[in-house]
Amino acid sequence: MTRANKIWPMLCLALAACASAAAAETTRYVALVDGGKRAGHQVVTHGDDGTISVDFRFKDNGRGPELQERYTLAPDGTYLTYSVQGTSTFGAPVQETFRRDGDRALWKTTSDQGAIAADGTQLYVPLGGTPASFSVAMGALARDDDGALSLLPHGTLRMRDVAEVEIRVDGEQRTVQLVALTGLGLTPTFAWATTGPRPRLFAYIIPGYVQLIEEGWERSAGALEVRQKQAEEEDLADLQQALAHPLEGSLLINNARVYDSEHATLGPVSDVLVSGGRILEVVADPGQGPANRSPSEAGREAGSILEAGGRTLLPGLFDSHAHLGPWEGGLHLAAGVTTVRDMGNDNATLQQLMRQGAAGELMIPRVVAAGFIEGESDFSARNGFVVATLEEAKEAVDWYAANGYPQVKIYNSFPRDILPATIDYAHEKGLRVSGHVPAFMRAEEVVELGFDELQHINQLLLNFFVTPETDTRTLERFYLVAKQTAGLDLTSPEVRDFIALLAERDVVVDPTLATFEFLHQRDGELSPIVAPVAAHLPPGIQRSRRAAELAIPDDATEALYDRSFAKLVEFTGLMHDAGVTIVAGTDELAGFTLQRELELYVQAGMTPGEALRTATWNAAEVAGVLGDRGAIAPGMRADLILVDGDPTADIAAIRNVATVLKGDTLYYPSEIYEALGVTPFAKPVKASAREDAPKKDRERLDDESRPLPGWMYG
């Protein structure tokens, strides 16, 4: 899995579906990854009869959607009719229709259908649309003086101008504009549009990953990406300024139940004193209740106090499998995630994010980076370094070692013949080795060769199903596990011996179980990741999360895949029982997926306290930062979260994060969620200045006047 996992589905949620002209014409786009490698195309054709068709194909990392759209537009620029068919990123069928019949709007997809009253200008939002989707929205919004567009089935879309740039290729000049659309997703979506009274999509860029741009203008994509990153950084800085609450002086967290991450237990009511981003003192008094306790001597001198009222205080959580983007930081922090381990990214993009985060310019967790190394093939994921020789692999290892990466991650197409020498070289350089199992190999083989860690539960189970001819760079790495795990005897010597080998070699496992719930989610069913919190999420997010990702054609297949997923959970419990170190990672929707991951660990047989250990002590130890964070003790970073409830008794309480302290900065999840359109899960517990503190300090902590940036409203 990589960060591309949800790109196109998320895009289709946030937008409408393509172009806006009447004359017969064709506009071609190319999709570029890895600094210019073609990974797909989009062809938009306007017929003489007013019908617009879109042919879209994108393939990266052995997967991607193939879609055919056809639609007509009403005079106001919105859809009159619409249809799309094809396959999704993971091979699920896409079949969707819409029509506007006077004051009625009717639609049908593989996951929902409806008929509602439609009044005036309203734009339907396809679930399975193409990334050319911006043009209809842009054209319809340009007709509206208010800059707002009512959406079907629900929502409001807004567009604001961000920047205007002149580009030139081979003597031809064009002016394009960067716009930001808000109103459906949790964060703004940026796109490049043509100028004029009827703008359309010119380029869609995900910095560090993909550039979809009008054919012939590929050489301008780099400059547009640089300008877009600058604009996004300005918005993100505004968000950090509005939602971060810097501490000055020391803070006493009074009357908190402190979670002991080493022993996976909840300790007595305690006081925790922090200053300068570090924990100075933890004073426990098991003989007294919160009503009878008083701060320690040092605590009496604290400049401010946060009264925990017996709530649970935990070390900041780790997400041990993320592919960090700049807009995900708020969701991570609101869920109590103060550190992520990035498991593969564009190197320049990640380095910049880490610098900006360390400088306090962005609202993101701390980052522990894993260096991504892939082999060259038609299926390659184009992150990090893509190598063909041992010399190139060593150069990649050297770069990661020089830049402070504690480990490297091997990926699907890595050349088998140079794998042993690469593992040995990384170990010589002091780096751990983790990753996927390269194609035509089994997990047992890479463990024998010296892998320190394995990513994803499917990579482990494939060990029992692949043959020397199985190409796991294709979607087979998902479908094979879905089809065959149900029939695997987990008590067999083969399974027991493999788990014993993992324990004997101290191999860490990062299962990302919650991510793989897509293996058995059928169309119309809410994703288990968001099902427990659906009422808190915007309607558009809820709707998009009812679409299946794998092809599940009938009830019998669904039952088979259900049994397979249940065994993935059971297998994780068997590893834990055997002493295999588990770390909680996600590779999916930030924040919410980690909460679901921990629930699945409890389902696998861990106690809630043990599940929390996978996202605190275990994660910090594996990442090599246990002396710095992952526990609540003097000298540790003051990365702390206050939870309303006791997640060591009920793991679901981990969603009720009231306060987050990241070093010397307080965040209140309720504020972050409200800014992103999410209904909060817990009331904030705020720090207040001591009564005898200087007036300026009391005013600073009590200040509620900092407004959100205007683009966050609506």
Side-chain angles (χ1 to χ4, degrees):
M1 313 290 278
T2 70
R3 62 176 295 205
N5 195 20
K6 301 289 181 183
I7 291 297
W8 301 125
M10 288 174 61
L11 177 60
C12 297
L13 164 69
L15 305 168
C18 187
S20 61
E25 64 178 47
T26 297
T27 305
R28 300 179 183 274
Y29 299 81
V30 294
L32 307 173
V33 297
D34 195 31
K37 180 180 174 64
R38 289 198 176 209
H41 66 259
Q42 178 175 264
V43 181
V44 183
T45 303
H46 299 259
D48 292 328
D49 62 352
T51 299
I52 301 166
S53 62
V54 183
D55 171 34
F56 175 69
R57 175 186 171 91
F58 178 80
K59 295 294 179 183
D60 181 56
N61 188 19
R63 59 179 181 247
E66 298 183 34
L67 301 169
Q68 299 288 324
E69 282 181 330
R70 288 176 63 84
Y71 56 88
T72 59
L73 298 177
D76 61 5
T78 62
Y79 292 114
L80 188 60
T81 64
Y82 174 86
S83 68
V84 62
Q85 60 184 7
T87 55
S88 71
T89 295
F90 292 96
V94 175
Q95 187 78 39
E96 182 172 2
T97 59
F98 167 83
R99 77 175 189 273
R100 177 79 180 261
D101 187 6
D103 61 358
R104 297 285 290 171
L106 304 94
W107 74 92
K108 183 176 183 179
T109 76
T110 57
S111 60
D112 73 342
Q113 60 182 335
I116 58 176
D119 182 21
T121 298
Q122 290 185 285
L123 179 68
Y124 176 67
V125 182
L127 278 183
T130 76
S133 315
F134 296 89
S135 295
V136 163
M138 292 171 176
L141 279 163
R143 291 173 165 86
D144 192 291
D145 294 336
D146 296 331
L149 186 61
S150 178
L151 299 174
L152 296 170
H154 31 59
T156 302
L157 186 67
R158 291 178 171 83
M159 182 171 70
R160 63 186 169 92
D161 297 335
V162 177
E164 194 168 273
V165 174
E166 289 188 1
I167 54 177
R168 183 184 298 271
V169 172
D170 296 332
E172 185 177 354
Q173 182 174 311
R174 179 178 284 187
T175 300
V176 294
Q177 56 185 334
L178 179 65
V179 299
L181 297 106
T182 55
L184 273 181
L186 299 175
T187 57
T189 298
F190 290 81
W192 291 91
T194 59
T195 55
R198 293 293 177 264
R200 62 165 175 78
L201 178 68
F202 176 74
Y204 173 67
I205 296 172
I206 302 173
Y209 174 54
V210 66
Q211 301 163 335
L212 181 77
I213 191 166
E214 191 174 320
E215 191 174 58
W217 294 89
E218 294 93 318
R219 280 182 284 166
S220 66
L224 294 181
E225 180 169 331
V226 169
R227 181 62 185 91
Q228 180 176 323
K229 287 173 68 175
Q230 178 186 344
E232 292 192 44
E233 288 164 13
E234 292 168 356
D235 277 359
L236 288 160
D238 289 345
L239 200 60
Q240 165 76 345
Q241 178 65 29
L243 297 175
H245 300 269
L247 284 173
E248 295 180 11
S250 57
L251 169 71
L252 177 69
I253 302 173
N254 200 34
N255 297 327
R257 296 289 302 277
V258 174
Y259 170 68
D260 178 348
S261 57
E262 181 178 7
H263 301 101
T265 58
L266 189 63
V269 173
S270 304
D271 294 333
V272 179
L273 181 66
V274 304
S275 182
R278 294 279 175 180
I279 298 172
L280 295 185
E281 192 175 52
V282 180
V283 179
D285 188 351
Q288 299 183 41
N292 300 318
R293 300 197 63 256
S294 60
S296 67
E297 190 64 35
R300 294 191 184 97
E301 305 301 321
S304 52
I305 294 178
L306 193 151
E307 179 52 59
R311 293 175 177 85
T312 306
L313 188 70
L314 298 96
L317 302 178
F318 280 64
D319 184 336
S320 287
H321 196 129
H323 300 276
L324 188 63
W327 287 100
E328 298 164 350
L331 287 172
H332 280 300
L333 289 170
V337 176
T338 57
T339 299
V340 299
R341 187 175 59 164
D342 190 287
M343 293 302 296
N345 216 317
D346 172 72
N347 289 330
T349 298
L350 183 60
Q351 289 287 307
Q352 182 176 355
L353 287 175
M354 291 168 69
R355 287 193 299 269
Q356 292 174 316
E361 298 169 2
L362 298 182
M363 188 172 61
I364 63 171
R366 306 185 197 280
V367 179
V368 175
F372 188 91
I373 311 180
E374 167 72 303
E376 185 62 68
S377 81
D378 292 339
F379 298 97
S380 299
R382 318 303 299 192
N383 299 327
F385 290 97
V386 181
V387 307
T389 67
L390 178 59
E391 181 180 358
E392 291 174 344
K394 287 183 175 181
E395 289 174 355
V397 171
D398 287 339
W399 190 91
Y400 289 128
N403 283 276
Y405 287 51
Q407 73 183 68
V408 293
K409 177 185 176 183
I410 303 296
Y411 209 62
N412 298 331
S413 293
F414 194 90
R416 178 175 187 155
D417 61 332
I418 67 171
L419 183 59
T422 302
I423 294 172
D424 291 344
Y425 188 73
H427 286 160
E428 290 173 13
K429 291 289 183 177
L431 276 64
R432 299 175 67 254
V433 178
S434 72
H436 289 204
V437 178
F440 312 110
M441 298 186 72
R442 295 167 60 237
E444 186 173 333
E445 294 178 76
V446 299
V447 170
E448 297 278 9
L449 288 174
F451 263 41
D452 302 292
E453 180 178 349
L454 287 166
Q455 266 71 52
H456 302 306
I457 193 66
N458 72 319
Q459 296 290 318
L460 284 91
L461 270 296
L462 285 168
N463 186 74
F464 308 108
F465 309 138
V466 296
T467 70
E469 292 74 38
T470 305
D471 192 345
T472 52
R473 297 171 298 182
T474 69
L475 292 179
E476 192 72 357
R477 67 185 184 269
F478 307 115
Y479 283 94
L480 196 59
V481 171
K483 293 173 181 177
Q484 296 200 23
T485 307
L488 181 64
D489 181 1
L490 297 185
T491 67
S492 67
E494 183 184 20
V495 172
R496 297 293 183 174
D497 289 348
F498 177 60
I499 292 175
L501 176 66
L502 296 174
E504 177 188 338
R505 297 295 183 93
D506 293 324
V507 174
V508 175
V509 174
D510 161 27
T512 65
L513 273 176
T515 301
F516 281 86
E517 293 205 86
F518 81 86
L519 293 181
H520 68 133
Q521 180 197 348
R522 292 194 76 176
D523 272 315
E525 295 176 355
L526 199 57
S527 164
I529 292 172
V530 302
V533 299
H536 292 257
L537 301 176
I541 300 292
Q542 296 180 45
R543 181 176 181 237
S544 72
R545 287 286 172 159
R546 292 185 181 275
E549 296 186 63
L550 241 58
I552 304 178
D554 50 42
D555 292 344
T557 303
E558 178 187 23
L560 175 67
Y561 289 8
D562 279 343
R563 294 196 302 274
S564 287
F565 183 77
K567 283 201 172 178
L568 298 183
V569 176
E570 185 179 354
F571 187 88
T572 301
L574 292 175
M575 289 192 293
H576 170 71
D577 292 343
V580 176
T581 298
I582 306 293
V583 292
T586 59
D587 198 16
E588 236 272 22
L589 179 65
F592 298 114
T593 309
L594 184 66
Q595 296 163 349
R596 177 60 181 163
E597 185 79 6
L598 297 179
E599 284 184 326
L600 287 170
Y601 292 171
V602 174
Q603 185 177 321
M606 296 185 196
T607 67
E610 290 171 335
L612 291 167
R613 193 180 196 271
T614 69
T616 51
W617 183 277
N618 286 7
E621 185 174 40
V622 170
V625 296
L626 186 55
D628 185 65
R629 68 202 94 146
I632 299 177
M636 294 282 192
R637 284 191 188 274
D639 289 358
L640 304 166
I641 65 172
L642 190 66
V643 174
D644 196 351
D646 180 5
T648 67
D650 176 8
I651 194 62
I654 198 61
R655 295 188 175 93
N656 303 328
V657 182
T659 307
V660 175
L661 178 60
K662 179 192 165 196
D664 58 2
T665 304
L666 281 164
Y667 294 95
Y668 301 119
S670 60
E671 294 181 348
I672 297 174
Y673 281 137
E674 286 171 353
L676 300 179
V678 176
T679 302
F681 296 86
K683 294 181 178 180
V685 179
K686 297 189 175 184
S688 59
R690 296 183 62 84
E691 293 182 1
D692 57 352
K695 180 180 179 182
K696 64 179 181 64
D697 290 338
R698 295 198 304 273
E699 291 175 344
R700 172 180 54 80
L701 284 169
D702 293 339
D703 181 18
E704 302 288 344
S705 64
R706 292 181 296 174
L708 287 171
W711 52 263
M712 290 300 299
Y713 292 103

